[in-house]
Amino acid sequence: MELREKKPLCDIDVQSDISPEDEAILAPPAEQAGEPSSPQQPQKAVEQYSYLQRDQSEDSPSNNKAAISSGRHSSLATPAVRGLLKEFGVNIVEVLGTGKDGRVLKEDVHNFAASRAIESAKPPQATSTRPSSGADQGQVEKSITLTPIQNQMFKTMTRSLTIPHFLYADEIDVTPLSTLRHRLNTQSGKQHKLSFLHFIIKAVSLAIEDFPLLNARVEAASNGDAPKLVMREKHNIGIAMDTPQGLLVPNVKHVSSKSILDIALECSRLQALAKDGKLPVADLTGGTITVSNIGSIGGTYVAPVLVQKEVAILGVGKARTVPAFNEQGQVIKKDVMNFSWSADHRVIDGATMARMAEHVRAFVEEPGLMMARLR
Ligand code: COA
């Protein structure tokens, strides 16, 4: 006899104890939802269930109830799993099943029990809450007024993002700088501690001497006038500071006339004032370019947003030790940092930014070069 079609002889369902509750769930859709029954329906339900599962993976177990009830196979389980459900006191319809057709597996019960324990350990929040009016009816939302600094950030950052930014990033070898910094800090003790940031600020200022455009500001067109670039002589380098009140950007004035130690002292003064919420307007205004050292907190890369009246900002990532090859091809340890520049693409092109960034890199990678340029 010739076999024309390879069809299975029979299907074996390993589900051994389908409860009346399961029967109800497995009933044809028309009986439950009043929809016309079709052979496509069960598959659709499973797809819908998978989507909800992805979408709500970060929600608390209790928030998942509504989603789970839409999966018709999700409350099927083997006797072993049912035993586990009983042991943990868990209702099967609350558990997201990851087995075939949404069946609940042992690990699903364990995961649910673990996340329920975490949820119940959280302290209750005394807040004014209201149910969401949107599509997610299970959500609870709370309105909080912005702090004065957030309010300011809201306005300035919204304005800043109307400027076409571009990002330029590179990896800098800070091994020699780490060694130098360590040596200087060991000698001077805690009194005049130098951080990477102080050297970077000086390097930016030295590079601006060759690329003054990066210290300029744009005067936008008004009354039909053409837009202008306003060149600035003084390098007032802003430092993005994480303060108890939020993000503040005071600036170190006249960096080109300061030594690295002067910069360190000025940064300490600004940090102390920022910590106490006492930065005067004079320290917060007049910046010409900014350095944001997010690496002192963490993070390898950052896409910094331009500060008003500036055309470039440098984001500094966390220094980390990596393996590298030396010129002889041997593996050595290197300390590296990522520098991420954002620039105003209306007036700064990529090549100019790259050249300026290469100058800063040269100074930071070889601090001796910086010394040679100090007055
Ligand atoms: N990678 C690794 N370590 C770094 C680092 C970096 N990029 N920058 C600083 N550190 C180290 C310092 O060397 C110091 O370590 P040490 O005590 O072993 O020498 C430690 O981190 C603390 O440095 P800190 O006192 O913060 O000094 P700083 O001069 O480097 O930075 C501020 C000062 C104000 C910039 C910083 O405290 C800060 O607020 N950073 C966050 C900026 C921010 O929020 N940017 C985002 C804006 S969107």
Side-chain angles (χ1 to χ4, degrees):
M1 189 179 77
E2 193 187 338
L3 274 178
R4 287 180 192 275
E5 269 184 10
K6 288 181 181 173
K7 283 185 180 170
L9 289 173
C10 63
D11 282 328
I12 299 171
D13 193 334
V14 294
Q15 183 61 40
S16 53
D17 66 338
I18 298 178
S19 64
E21 180 189 90
D22 292 339
E23 291 289 0
I25 291 162
L26 285 166
E31 286 170 35
Q32 286 193 1
E35 292 166 8
S37 171
S38 91
Q40 301 296 322
Q41 212 66 28
Q43 180 58 30
K44 195 175 155 196
V46 173
E47 280 167 11
Q48 184 188 7
Y49 169 60
S50 321
Y51 165 75
L52 288 163
Q53 189 180 22
R54 258 201 322 274
D55 201 36
Q56 305 207 354
S57 57
E58 285 172 20
D59 283 359
S60 68
S62 55
N63 285 350
N64 285 331
K65 284 178 195 170
I68 294 155
S69 62
S70 62
R72 290 180 177 80
H73 295 265
S74 61
S75 58
L76 299 179
T78 62
V81 171
R82 288 192 178 277
L84 208 55
L85 288 162
K86 212 168 178 180
E87 189 185 318
F88 285 112
V90 173
N91 183 342
I92 192 168
V93 296
E94 293 184 82
V95 184
L96 289 167
T98 59
K100 188 172 181 287
D101 293 350
R103 278 161 209 238
V104 175
L105 308 178
K106 273 185 180 178
E107 65 250 39
D108 298 329
V109 183
H110 282 293
N111 289 342
F112 178 89
S115 54
R116 188 178 60 176
I118 293 167
E119 278 298 310
S120 59
K122 283 185 187 166
Q125 290 186 349
T127 55
S128 68
T129 54
R130 61 187 161 81
S132 162
S133 54
D136 185 358
Q137 292 298 323
Q139 184 58 278
V140 176
E141 297 178 340
K142 178 188 162 199
S143 294
I144 302 174
T145 315
L146 300 188
T147 64
I149 288 187
Q150 279 174 328
N151 233 324
Q152 191 58 26
M153 202 159 64
F154 189 97
K155 288 181 203 152
T156 55
M157 292 298 155
T158 306
R159 267 203 305 268
S160 285
L161 277 178
T162 61
I163 298 168
H165 284 54
F166 74 91
L167 180 70
Y168 173 93
D170 204 359
E171 191 175 83
I172 312 291
D173 179 358
V174 290
T175 318
L177 180 57
S178 292
T179 313
L180 174 68
R181 196 179 79 87
H182 182 71
R183 206 168 58 236
L184 293 174
N185 284 342
T186 313
Q187 282 167 9
S188 66
K190 283 195 174 166
Q191 206 183 354
H192 303 303
K193 203 172 141 213
L194 298 172
S195 84
F196 288 113
L197 180 66
H198 309 140
F199 290 91
I200 294 168
I201 289 173
K202 189 68 196 179
V204 169
S205 171
L206 290 171
I208 288 172
E209 287 180 7
D210 298 321
F211 294 91
L213 177 60
L214 274 293
N215 200 49
R217 72 179 167 84
V218 175
E219 206 165 77
S222 63
N223 304 329
D225 291 347
K228 282 189 188 117
L229 266 170
V230 180
M231 305 302 285
R232 300 182 286 197
E233 202 180 289
K234 306 238 160 35
H235 308 167
N236 299 340
I237 302 191
I239 314 159
M241 277 190 188
D242 174 41
T243 77
Q245 307 90 50
L247 173 69
L248 289 174
V249 190
N251 58 82
V252 178
K253 301 262 189 310
H254 312 174
V255 173
S256 50
S257 65
K258 286 186 165 65
S259 69
I260 294 170
L261 187 57
D262 291 338
I263 295 168
L265 294 172
E266 182 61 357
C267 283
S268 303
R269 183 186 73 82
L270 294 171
Q271 260 176 287
L273 287 171
K275 189 165 159 255
D276 295 342
K278 290 183 180 160
L279 274 171
V281 175
D283 285 326
L284 288 163
T285 50
T288 56
I289 188 168
T290 295
V291 179
S292 173
N293 181 19
I294 198 71
S296 64
I297 300 174
T300 309
Y301 312 97
V302 61
V305 178
L306 287 171
V307 172
Q308 289 291 297
K309 298 189 181 167
E310 296 180 14
V311 294
I313 179 169
L314 167 61
V316 177
K318 190 175 177 62
R320 60 200 198 285
T321 306
V322 296
F325 292 109
N326 66 9
E327 280 170 12
Q328 289 75 45
Q330 295 152 331
V331 177
I332 52 161
K333 268 164 73 170
K334 253 189 190 177
D335 291 335
V336 297
M337 243 182 205
N338 280 85
F339 279 14
S340 314
W341 292 88
S342 286
D344 182 341
H345 214 345
R346 297 171 305 174
V347 291
I348 311 288
D349 57 37
T352 307
M353 185 68 259
R355 289 190 188 104
M356 160 81 176
E358 279 300 298
H359 267 53
V360 175
R361 169 220 275 283
F363 288 127
V364 175
E365 289 197 340
E366 220 179 302
L369 275 181
M370 247 192 287
M371 305 303 152
R373 293 274 296 262
L374 295 182
R375 292 186 187 108

